[in-house]
Amino acid sequence: MATKKKGFIAKMIEGPERSDSYARGTLPGNRWELGWDLFKSNTGKLIGLNLLTLIFILPVLFIVFLRYSQVQYGALTGPFSQNVGLGYPGFFLAAGFNEEIYLRANISSIIFLPLAGLIASIGISGGMYVMRNMVWAEGVFVGKDFWTGVKKNYFVVMLSTLMYTVLLSASIFTISSINLQIAQSGGHWLFTLSNVLSYIMIAFISIAYLYMLSMGVTYDLKFGQLIRNAIIMTIALVPSNVFFAAFALVTVIIMCLGNTAFAFGLIIFLFFGLSIAMLVWTNYSQWAFDKFINDKVPGAVKNRGIYSKTPDEEESDFSYERSTLGKRPIKPITDYDIEIVEIPETFSRADLKRLEESKEAMRKASDEYVEDVLSGKISANTILEEDDLPIDDSSTDVDDDE
């Protein structure tokens, strides 16, 4: 069966081949370099992934906008300075009125957040899967891989999102109710403590949720194991978790800085906000998995996407490896009994098999010659000089898609 190399257009769309023969030396040396390299060399894919994910996040954004509109409407229509009789302002007990506006807005909008999360899970499961492949330096076709990720990971992402949105909604309602109680009856220290704990809970479950997303598309875990591992990682890496979570949400932080910053941050968010968040957190979480999890997982590959020296490579230097081959004898090219197979431009698997058999025969003959020289059976006619190292042509990468 004839084989055919991928064309230029296919390579440009799909990126590097998905195989272990991907040149390790061309990979970034650490996670920071990897993140920057992915951002600058995959701008189009990041924009496409952001827009595709954004479609399914729209219900969540609509709830945020609805809550904001209800708060603004309540503030404008509230009787803060209504006139009574002959133009004299009527004064009323306004304690807690502002907090009540927020509580009503939360009840009428945030209550729908879990339902919107079910739709958002489609975009999150596909987007996180595509980003995982990009961080692993695998070639990606955004549209195709997005739906593959939805098919593989929607259920676990949906359960994680449902649990997170329910807990988040409960925490928001708790804070709103406590603020109303404080405004109406005074700031008892128990109310203040409950408020602080509620904010800590929101931060905790948000980071744990991010870990559940990245673990869910990386490992095959039961949901209980997923929750347990996410909680452990959230507690174990508090400072770095907070930093990278804030780094991932940098576009949202920019939008909260004011009107001018909001417009600037919104533009960035529409094109890169979600993909940057997925890139930063996926890249960071893969570092955390390499450090604390992958050594305990059978078959897990560490440092995927980056070039990290193995212990043997760190112990020995390349120049030292060259010097050890300086006196290796090589077999003279005088053995015409070994057939050197040449394959045509259009070749089949049978041709490749014959080529590999001939190369194996030459390697075997060369090894036997080295053993004979070292044992003294024959004298070496040719010594491999240090600057004349042979090129190992024992591997041939062939695209086997067809």
Side-chain angles (χ1 to χ4, degrees):
M1 180 172 59
T3 60
K4 183 175 67 175
K5 294 281 187 180
K6 282 187 182 289
F8 173 75
I9 299 299
K11 289 183 179 180
M12 201 168 68
I13 293 175
E14 298 187 13
E17 298 291 343
R18 299 185 187 199
S19 67
D20 293 334
S21 61
Y22 187 84
R24 293 175 65 234
T26 63
L27 297 176
N30 55 60
R31 292 290 172 185
W32 288 101
E33 293 179 5
L34 174 62
W36 173 244
D37 183 69
L38 287 175
F39 179 77
K40 70 179 181 180
S41 60
N42 294 274
T43 304
K45 290 182 179 180
L46 292 178
I47 294 176
L49 180 61
N50 192 84
L51 295 176
L52 189 56
T53 307
L54 185 63
I55 295 174
F56 300 97
I57 305 293
L58 287 178
V60 175
L61 299 180
F62 176 75
I63 289 176
V64 174
F65 175 76
L66 178 63
R67 178 184 179 275
Y68 174 80
S69 300
Q70 290 177 341
V71 170
Q72 295 299 314
Y73 179 78
L76 291 174
T77 59
F80 290 103
S81 60
Q82 297 295 329
N83 292 334
V84 178
L86 299 175
Y88 291 96
F91 297 95
F92 69 103
L93 184 61
F97 187 79
N98 186 56
E99 287 74 15
E100 188 174 353
I101 290 176
Y102 279 97
L103 179 59
R104 290 178 179 177
N106 290 336
I107 292 175
S108 59
S109 59
I110 301 299
I111 194 174
F112 297 106
L113 188 59
L115 180 60
L118 299 181
I119 302 174
S121 297
I122 300 175
I124 296 172
S125 57
M128 290 295 290
Y129 179 78
V130 172
M131 189 56 64
R132 186 209 68 176
N133 290 343
M134 293 178 68
V135 170
W136 281 2
E138 295 187 4
V140 295
F141 192 178
V142 173
K144 177 182 177 181
D145 287 354
F146 180 89
W147 294 112
T148 300
V150 173
K151 181 179 179 181
K152 288 184 175 181
N153 304 301
Y154 175 76
F155 184 71
V156 66
V157 171
M158 181 269 293
L159 288 179
S160 303
T161 303
L162 182 62
M163 185 185 70
Y164 171 65
T165 51
V166 168
L167 293 176
L168 180 62
S169 300
S171 299
I172 293 175
F173 292 149
T174 300
I175 293 174
S176 299
S177 300
I178 292 174
N179 287 337
L180 180 59
Q181 292 293 326
I182 292 175
Q184 291 179 344
S185 59
H188 195 278
W189 68 271
L190 286 177
F191 292 152
T192 304
L193 178 62
S194 299
N195 244 357
V196 172
L197 293 178
S198 297
Y199 281 112
I200 294 176
M201 175 61 70
I202 291 177
F204 181 84
I205 62 176
S206 297
I207 294 176
Y209 171 65
L210 292 175
Y211 270 118
M212 292 176 71
L213 295 179
S214 54
M215 283 186 184
V217 301
T218 304
Y219 304 104
D220 185 13
L221 297 172
K222 295 181 179 178
F223 192 66
Q225 295 174 324
L226 187 65
I227 296 174
R228 177 178 177 273
N229 291 338
I231 292 175
I232 293 174
M233 296 295 290
T234 302
I235 297 174
L237 299 169
V238 173
S240 56
N241 287 339
V242 173
F243 173 79
F244 283 101
F247 189 16
L249 299 175
V250 62
T251 54
V252 177
I253 295 175
I254 291 175
M255 287 190 289
C256 296
L257 297 180
N259 294 333
T260 304
F262 176 83
F264 177 71
L266 181 61
I267 294 174
I268 299 177
F269 180 82
L270 293 177
F271 288 97
F272 291 105
L274 297 173
S275 57
I276 287 179
M278 291 186 289
L279 171 58
V280 171
W281 188 260
T282 301
N283 195 18
Y284 163 68
S285 61
Q286 291 297 321
W287 167 84
F289 299 158
D290 286 338
K291 189 174 181 64
F292 297 103
I293 296 180
N294 286 339
D295 287 333
K296 303 175 184 178
V297 177
V301 180
K302 296 182 64 175
N303 299 319
R304 297 188 68 166
I306 62 174
Y307 174 68
S308 179
K309 287 187 177 181
T310 63
D312 293 337
E313 290 174 329
E314 292 178 351
E315 183 177 353
S316 60
D317 186 75
F318 179 72
S319 61
Y320 174 77
E321 295 294 333
R322 288 174 60 94
S323 64
T324 59
L325 297 174
K327 299 301 181 181
R328 177 182 173 86
I330 62 173
K331 186 175 180 2
I333 306 177
T334 58
D335 47 342
Y336 299 103
D337 55 323
I338 299 178
E339 179 186 7
I340 301 177
V341 177
E342 296 183 4
I343 60 176
E345 292 184 1
T346 301
F347 53 90
S348 64
R349 289 186 181 275
D351 295 323
L352 292 176
K353 184 177 181 181
R354 290 176 51 241
L355 174 62
E356 186 60 31
E357 289 175 351
S358 68
K359 290 162 65 176
E360 181 62 28
M362 290 193 303
R363 285 194 292 267
K364 183 177 180 181
S366 177
D367 293 339
E368 291 176 352
Y369 175 81
V370 172
E371 292 179 2
D372 291 341
V373 171
L374 296 179
S375 62
K377 292 182 181 180
I378 61 176
S379 60
N381 295 322
T382 307
I383 300 297
L384 179 65
E385 297 298 335
E386 187 171 347
D387 293 332
D388 296 319
L389 295 177
I391 298 176
D392 183 5
D393 192 26
S394 60
S395 63
T396 304
D397 294 333
V398 177
D399 187 348
D400 198 26
D401 290 343
E402 297 184 3

